[in-house]
Amino acid sequence: MSHEAPLPAGMPPGFDIRGNELCVAGTPVSELAARVGDRPFYAYDSALMSERVRFLRTHLPAEIDLHYAIKANPMPAVVQHMSGLTEGLDVASAAELGVALSTGVDPLDISFAGPGKSARDLEDAVSAGVIIILESFNEMERVAALAAKHHCQPPVAVRVNPDFELKSSGMKMGGGPRPFGVDAEDVPELLQRIAREPLRFMGLHIFTGSQNLRHEALIEAHDQTFALAQRLAAESPMPIQWLNIGGGLGIPYFPGDQPLALEPVCDNLRQRFSAWQAAHPDCTVVMELGRYLVAEAGVYVCRVSDRKTSRGQVYLITNGGLHHHLALSGNFGQVIRKNYPVCIGNRVHGDTEEVVNIVGPLCTPLDILGQRMSLPVAGIDDLIVVFQSGAYGFTASPHLFLSHPAPEELLL
Ligand SMILES: *Cc1c(COP(=O)(O)O)cnc(C)c1O
């Protein structure tokens, strides 16, 4: 490890550099590439996921359950690992439910959210006995019909579309008109109807948004979430035994992003939780996180297959791109494309740096991995490593677009 050289810009903690080469979970990236063969790959460090959960728990009130939202990274080995670190899993399709159940987690520690659940989704959820997060009046009726058909009492919770917004969230999921959940003002009516059906009412789910780096905004959202839950509880004919307050904790992706200040968020949560618990002593409070738990533990690795200069600009053309990592290309909900942190994995420090554009092999100008980045001079066969890639990478990308080989996934 060279001590004089600065670390690659934006490299998250937990990776090390040995002999000018990036190591993931202690293994040089070129060795991982040799293991995989020709294809680009994702590599996830399970120890970093464990470490992230441990760090979060040093701040989070011990009474709050932590769930892993598996859509962030549903690789079965990752889900298995996360199931051992958290109190439960959140799923959003029948296939994700299958992965979650195969970990052996208690069905009552699995919740199933998502608008427009299919007949198969609901059948599977009812027969597994997981908590079904109702997203509409119609969905409540469909679950009630299944309950009558199967002579069972499925556990359900109501997803609330709050009457406030999470400020400065990367992706808003609540407030205003939304396809998610039931508007807060209509929830009392839905609760009255649930009380008359063969449904086991568990509680409420209030999720305001994703990828937030501002602690002030999260604190305000938590204040409003508990206040809304309190108002709805007062109007509910049944006790609230389960309250899912969502997640929303962000990670730094781009130059200038600062890591979230966890301490003020958790200090505030402790107060809100205590007040809530005093009124609802038997209620389980759940925080569900995807990105925050796994994103920094993963890298995406591809290889330079060509290099050229066009009108004064250098292009590194790789065998990976937006078909493997859509978010990296700036096309997964971003308003303006910014560069993820990137390094040349087998040549972390170079004698000279140059400004390059890194692009993929697809015939579209959208296939961008890095724009005007200053990196050590690289050539054909060098490895491009993209950090912050453990969430919303592999499964959030259009692998079939242009029919190149899909990437590999490794859990280390
Ligand atoms: C996507 C999603 C999450 C996870 O969001 P992250 O930003 O990855 O933490 C949590 N809850 C629900 C309902 C979701 O849809």
Side-chain angles (χ1 to χ4, degrees), residues 19-30:
N20 207 20
E21 177 149 6
L22 182 82
C23 295
V24 182
T27 305
V29 73
S30 61

Side-chain angles (χ1 to χ4, degrees), residues 108-385:
L108 273 181
D109 294 324
I110 298 175
S111 56
F112 190 150
K117 294 180 194 69
S118 68
R120 152 113 199 270
D121 290 338
L122 293 178
E123 282 277 0
D124 285 7
V126 167
S127 57
V130 300
I131 300 180
I132 301 173
I133 311 286
L134 301 174
E135 305 256 357
S136 73
F137 281 73
N138 286 333
E139 204 164 83
M140 186 278 289
E141 281 168 15
R142 291 168 68 205
V143 176
L146 285 173
K149 180 176 147 197
H150 295 295
H151 306 288
C152 63
Q153 203 173 2
V156 297
V158 170
R159 171 118 170 230
V160 182
N161 175 25
D163 40 13
F164 58 88
E165 276 194 4
L166 175 55
K167 295 200 179 95
S168 70
S169 174
M171 222 179 268
K172 287 191 174 54
M173 303 280 285
R178 297 283 164 191
F180 310 112
V182 174
D183 292 347
E185 52 278 26
D186 298 330
V187 167
E189 161 71 18
L190 181 59
L191 297 183
Q192 294 295 336
R193 292 213 215 162
I194 289 172
R196 299 196 291 267
E197 299 287 352
L199 299 172
R200 177 174 167 200
F201 177 70
M202 302 298 292
L204 304 171
H205 178 235
I206 306 175
F207 180 57
T208 49
S210 192
Q211 180 50 20
N212 205 306
L213 284 174
R214 286 192 48 225
H215 65 272
E216 302 92 336
L218 284 162
I219 286 171
E220 193 181 320
H222 287 153
D223 288 351
Q224 292 187 298
T225 295
F226 278 100
L228 174 57
Q230 190 59 53
R231 282 202 307 281
L232 293 172
E235 289 193 64
S236 173
M238 304 149 289
I240 310 289
Q241 306 167 55
W242 191 83
L243 175 64
N244 185 327
I245 60 169
L249 312 190
I251 63 146
Y253 282 101
F254 309 120
D257 282 356
Q258 293 300 318
L260 174 69
L262 201 52
E263 216 166 309
V265 174
C266 289
D267 286 349
N268 180 66
L269 212 44
R270 189 166 289 107
Q271 292 173 35
R272 291 297 139 251
F273 174 78
S274 303
W276 170 263
Q277 201 190 29
H280 307 273
D282 298 324
C283 179
T284 300
V285 175
V286 174
M287 179 178 236
E288 60 178 5
L289 293 171
R291 185 192 316 268
Y292 189 81
L293 302 183
V294 297
E296 299 204 348
V299 295
Y300 170 68
V301 183
C302 57
R303 211 179 266 285
V304 177
S305 36
D306 201 0
R307 178 195 159 100
K308 63 182 172 186
T309 304
S310 168
R311 308 222 157 101
Q313 290 205 31
V314 177
Y315 284 85
L316 300 177
I317 300 164
T318 70
N319 63 350
L322 81 72
H323 52 317
H324 296 166
H325 199 331
L326 187 65
L328 168 64
S329 75
N331 292 293
F332 192 62
Q334 299 95 326
V335 180
I336 302 167
R337 186 190 180 280
K338 296 183 196 163
N339 289 327
Y340 273 50
V342 164
C343 76
I344 311 294
N346 56 312
R347 197 188 301 284
V348 175
H349 303 294
D351 298 332
T352 39
E353 295 220 336
E354 63 179 351
V355 173
V356 294
N357 297 290
I358 311 171
V359 300
L362 306 188
C363 301
T364 161
L366 301 177
D367 194 11
I368 297 167
L369 292 86
Q371 280 173 304
R372 307 212 31 89
M373 300 191 85
S374 186
L375 290 168
V377 175
I380 291 174
D381 280 344
D382 279 338
L383 294 169
I384 302 292
V385 175

